Amino acid sequence: MEILNLSLSATNRFASNYLEQSSDVLPFFHYRFNDFAEDQKRLDELSNRHFPREKVAGHIEKFMERFPSSEEVKNSLAKLKQPNSVVVIGGQQAGILTGPLYSIHKIISIIKLAEQKEKQLGVPVIPVFWIAGEDHDFHEVNHVFMPVEQRVDKWSYPEIVKQKKMVSDVTLNKDVCREWVINVIENFGETNHTKQLINFAEETLRDSSTFVEFFANIVMELFKDYGLLIVDSGDRQFRLLQTEKFAQQIEQHKEITNYLLEQQSIIGKKGYPITIDSNENAANLFYYNPKSNERILLEFDSERNVFVGKSGAVSFTKEELMEIAYQDPAKLSNNVVTRPLMQEWLFPTLAFIAGPGEISYWAELKLVFEHFKISMPPIVPRLNITLVERAVESDIHELNLELSQVLSRGTVEERNQYLESIKDKEVSELFSTLKLQLLQQYDLIEKKTNQLDKSLLPLVKKNETYLLKQIGFMETKLEESVQSKYNVILSKFNRIDLSLRPDGFPQERVWNIFYYLNQYGTSFIEEIMKLEFVFDGQHKVIKL
C-alpha cells in the first residue's frame, strides 16, 4: 500500500474554503485546525475548565465490557481518568456492517490524530468514537450498496421498523440478520478470505442484540488494538451523566435558538447555504415517549408557555421538563444543535473530527458556544480517502485518464468522447437525413390533411411519432453493434466509475468496508493503520 496526496475540492463550497483556511470562513471558528500554536492554546483553555473525567471513564468502561477489548483499550480508559487528559472525538450513526466507508475513515482519523497529538504535546490524548445511537432515522442505517452487474444496487436489511425508535433500541432478529449478512458477503464473490469474513460477521452478530451493539462489536474487533474508546449517545446510563446539562439547556433554550439563528444570519449574508434546519420555536431537545416508543422533537409554544411535540403529541411546562431532566433524563436526547454542546461539557476535546457537512453546521454554533462561555474545539477535517485497486489503477493508466479528474467527476466526459470517436459517421448522417426527410414529408401530409379532414390530424401525428421511434430504434441497434466491438474498452470506463465514482458519488459515500475485507482479509485495517497520514486537508489516495 502507498498513499498519494491530491488536492481536491470538498463536497460543499464552505468545507472547501475551510480546508484552505480561507479568511472568508475562519471568523466562524475559534481555532485553526492546522496550527500547532492553536493546540497549545486549546490545552490552556481546557486546563481552566472542569470535566467529569472519572464519571465518563467509569461509564465507558462499563459500557465497553460487552465488546472486544485489549490492553490498549484499558490504557486509554486509565489515561482518560488523568487530570491532564484530552480526547480526539468524532461520531457517526450505527450503519449495518458499519455503513458507508466514511464511518471507517472517521475512526481511522480519530485514532491517527490522537496518536500524533500525544507525541507532539506530551499529554494523554485518547481516541473516542461517539455512536449516534439516539438517532431515529432507521432508513439511513439499514442498508448497504452492492456492485451488481456493473451498477450500484441498494440492499436493505429486511426487518421493518415503523416507529421513530432510537437506533439503540432497534433489536436484531439474529437469524434474519445472519442470513442477510452472509448473502451480502457471498455476493461480493468468493475469495480466499470469504469464509473467515463470514465467521467474523457471525461471531460479532452472536454477541449483539441491537443495531448499535452489532456496529460496536465490528468496530472494536477491527480497532481494539489502537486504544479506541466508544460511547453510545442513545445509552440510557450515559444520559444519566447529562442531567444538569439537560436542565441548563431547558433553562436557556431561547438563548440557544436565538444565537443559532443570529449566527446563521451572519453566514447567510456571506452567501453560504444554511445547514441546520431551525426556527424561533425550536427547543433543540427530543423527548422519548414510552407510550408510542417514539422520539419526538420538542418546540416551545410561547403563547401557552409550554414545550410541545409535533401535532401536540406531548406537552410540558418548563417545570415538568426540568423534573424529567433530573428524575428521568433517559427520556431526553439532544439534537444537532445541542449534541456538540453536550459533548463539549462531558469531554476535554482537543479536536473534533468532522466530515464536510459537519464543518458547515459547527460554524453555525459559534455564538451558542460563546453564550456558555466556552470555545468550540478545533474542527479537524476527517481524512478523505479513496481506495484504488490495482486493476482499476491499470485501467486509468491504459485509458490515459487523470486520477484527480476521475475522483472529482468520474469518466462520463471521456467516455462520451470515446463513444463519439468510434461512431460510424456515415450511419449517423444517413439516419439524420432520413429523419429530416421524414419530418419534411409529414409536414406536407399534415397540411394536406388539415385541408381535407382535420379529424385525422391526431392519427397523422401518431403515425409520424411511431415511424420516428422505429427509426431511432434501428439507429440505436446499429450504434450498439458498433460499440460491441469496443466493449473491452467501454467496460474499463465502467469499472473505474463503479469503483471510484459509483452513481456519480464519492466512493466513501457508497461502498462498504466488507467488500475490501472480503478482497484483502481482516488484516486490511492493520495495513492501512501502518500508513502515515498528514492532516493537511488533502485527499488521500491509497493504492492497494
Side-chain angles (χ1 to χ4, degrees), residues 246-354:
F246 277 138
Q248 199 171 350
Q249 289 173 15
I250 294 164
E251 279 282 4
Q252 302 187 51
H253 70 93
K254 283 184 182 175
E255 289 83 353
I256 291 172
T257 298
N258 289 342
Y259 281 118
L260 169 69
L261 296 175
E262 184 181 339
Q263 185 70 41
Q264 287 182 330
S265 174
I266 296 167
I267 291 172
K269 285 174 183 173
K270 285 271 193 176
Y272 293 108
I274 299 306
T275 305
I276 300 172
D277 184 19
S278 190
N279 61 70
E280 60 185 12
N281 298 320
N284 301 303
L285 278 176
F286 283 92
Y287 171 76
Y288 186 73
N289 189 351
K291 292 179 182 176
S292 63
N293 284 326
E294 288 192 332
R295 187 170 173 248
I296 300 167
L297 183 62
L298 298 178
E299 289 196 336
F300 186 71
D301 184 335
S302 54
E303 288 185 9
R304 294 163 52 205
N305 208 33
V306 291
F307 293 85
V308 294
K310 190 177 180 181
S311 305
V314 291
S315 176
F316 306 101
T317 63
K318 186 172 86 169
E319 290 70 28
E320 288 170 336
L321 203 57
M322 291 286 281
E323 186 176 349
I324 291 169
Y326 281 109
Q327 301 301 323
D328 198 0
K331 287 181 179 172
L332 300 178
S333 60
N334 295 290
N335 79 337
V336 67
V337 177
T338 51
R339 186 190 298 159
L341 271 176
M342 189 64 75
Q343 172 190 293
E344 287 306 299
W345 281 325
L346 294 174
F347 291 94
T349 306
L350 178 69
F352 177 80
I353 296 289

Side-chain angles (χ1 to χ4, degrees), residues 119-137:
K119 287 176 185 173
Q120 290 171 357
L121 298 168
V123 297
V125 184
I126 304 100
V128 178
F129 187 79
W130 178 300
I131 303 170
E134 85 276 25
D135 283 359
H136 58 255
D137 197 339

Side-chain angles (χ1 to χ4, degrees), residues 35-53:
D35 186 338
F36 180 73
E38 298 282 89
D39 290 334
Q40 195 57 56
K41 183 177 161 189
R42 178 63 175 175
L43 281 180
D44 292 342
E45 185 205 342
L46 294 176
S47 67
N48 291 318
R49 289 170 53 193
H50 170 73
F51 296 93
R53 287 178 173 86

